[in-house]
Amino acid sequence: MTAPFGSSVQEVPLSKSPLVNVIAQVRFPAVMKIEDSAFVANFQEAIRKDYPILRPERQLGALIGPGGVQPQDAGTVWRFETKDPDAWQVTLAPTFVSLSAKRYTNRNDLLARLTVVLRALEGWLHPNVCDRIGVRYVDRVTGEQLARITTLVRPEILGVAGDEAALDRAEVVHALSDTLFRLDDSSQLRGRWGRLPGGVTYDPGIEPAREPSWVLDLDHSSTRFSGCRGTGRYPITRPARRFPCPPRRSSGSTSGLTTSVRSSVVSAVASSSARSSSIPPLCRSRTRRFHS
């Protein structure tokens, strides 16, 4: 992918990276037996060495109708954590598995851990369809960095918040952009960025900062794969060519998710983690330093 976001950039380690959350997720058709703890036990054993802490959670939803808001049971989500819960976490639900980190280390670590998780999923669940592959990077700057945000991000992206002369004595408290880009390679990138007051979040899954902040949230995903035949679903038994970065493949002879979707997901993350620094040309030259 070269346009409109430019070519991939090299990973640049930062001593104080503003990344606050990184998530790689694979979605698949619902497997309702994942609600059963006995069924999930084999998956737990496969990753327990790296993720020894299991925290099951009941999810609640809401149904809005003529009678008002009715609470709905959204099922069980299994969270497998390292000893430091902010370091790495695997989340398993009836329709997806994800790997996330609040204290991101580097791309190679992400890819290696994701490979282990997807091998475990293949050996236990044997899924044969993948609905969606996605990777998401959330950056946040506060304090001194926020005070000089106009030197970090180009004014075309900052919008009115970056036009100090026009604002005069007015202060921008809340200004958030939400844009969905459909890319030439049939994947899509959702970008959300802007300024937020303290204690406010734009996504229930992202904890708010206690102080004013500027966020950059990039979610690169794909649901259209070659060979789908119009279904929007990717047969795991077919090789994926969605993302051009070379996947990390196992040396042995394996099948199913291990050889195809696992490789394509790892490839997607490798590609997206590089592309996540390739912001639209309006801010690429400055905001790419946000990633490590």
Side-chain angles (χ1 to χ4, degrees):
M1 180 181 70
T2 58
F5 298 102
S7 57
S8 298
V9 298
Q10 294 295 320
E11 185 176 33
V12 180
L14 299 177
S15 58
K16 295 182 179 180
S17 169
L19 275 168
V20 296
N21 213 331
V22 177
I23 306 168
Q25 184 191 75
V26 178
R27 301 192 71 89
F28 45 80
V31 180
M32 300 315 298
K33 285 187 69 175
I34 290 178
E35 293 276 348
D36 184 356
S37 61
F39 182 68
V40 174
N42 287 340
F43 179 74
Q44 179 190 19
E45 285 302 304
I47 65 171
R48 190 161 59 90
K49 180 181 177 180
D50 296 321
Y51 306 92
I53 302 172
L54 171 60
R55 302 188 189 281
E57 296 180 4
R58 296 299 295 181
Q59 300 293 296
L60 296 177
L63 178 64
I64 302 176
V69 178
Q70 301 293 327
Q72 299 287 312
D73 186 351
T76 300
V77 169
W78 307 93
R79 301 194 189 278
F80 305 87
E81 300 175 349
T82 58
K83 293 180 181 179
D84 179 358
D86 287 339
W88 294 95
Q89 182 183 91
V90 175
T91 302
L92 177 69
T95 59
F96 72 87
V97 65
S98 68
L99 173 67
S100 61
K102 293 182 179 179
R103 284 204 289 271
Y104 178 72
T105 51
N106 56 65
R107 190 183 310 162
N108 289 337
D109 193 13
L110 173 66
L111 297 178
R113 288 177 175 274
L114 182 61
T115 299
V116 170
V117 170
L118 294 180
R119 280 179 178 168
L121 187 75
E122 158 65 13
W124 161 66
L125 192 61
H126 306 292
N128 58 8
V129 172
C130 175
D131 287 334
R132 181 185 184 273
I133 295 173
V135 62
R136 180 180 179 188
Y137 282 75
V138 183
D139 296 280
R140 176 190 290 147
V141 295
T142 58
E144 181 183 344
Q145 286 185 321
L146 178 61
R148 59 188 185 93
I149 193 67
T150 56
T151 69
L152 299 173
V153 182
R154 297 183 65 160
E156 296 91 332
I157 291 296
L158 287 175
V160 66
D163 194 346
E164 297 177 352
L167 290 173
D168 193 13
R169 289 174 294 179
E171 177 188 5
V172 174
V173 177
H174 182 126
L176 190 68
S177 297
D178 189 336
T179 305
L180 181 64
F181 302 92
R182 191 177 305 280
L183 309 181
D184 292 342
D185 59 6
S186 298
S187 63
Q188 63 184 25
L189 175 70
R190 184 182 185 185
R192 288 179 283 185
W193 61 87
R195 186 180 180 114
L196 295 172
V200 174
T201 185
Y202 57 95
D203 185 325
I206 304 298
E207 295 182 8
R210 295 181 179 180
E211 56 186 317
S213 62
W214 194 88
V215 296
L216 174 64
D217 184 339
L218 300 175
D219 188 349
H220 184 197
S221 66
S222 182
T223 57
R224 295 179 58 190
F225 301 88
S226 57
C228 288
R229 297 184 180 178
T231 63
R233 294 179 174 177
Y234 175 69
I236 285 179
T237 56
R238 299 182 182 181
R241 298 182 176 86
R242 285 291 307 104
F243 296 91
C245 280
R248 291 188 169 197
R249 298 182 183 273
S250 59
S251 57
S253 176
T254 54
S255 62
L257 185 64
T258 304
T259 55
S260 56
V261 164
R262 175 167 52 82
S263 296
S264 67
V265 172
V266 171
S267 176
V269 174
S271 178
S272 295
S273 56
R275 291 171 182 173
S276 64
S277 297
S278 301
I279 315 304
L282 295 177
C283 60
R284 183 178 65 239
S285 61
R286 293 180 179 138
T287 56
R288 73 180 184 184
R289 72 187 66 179
F290 285 179
H291 299 274
S292 67

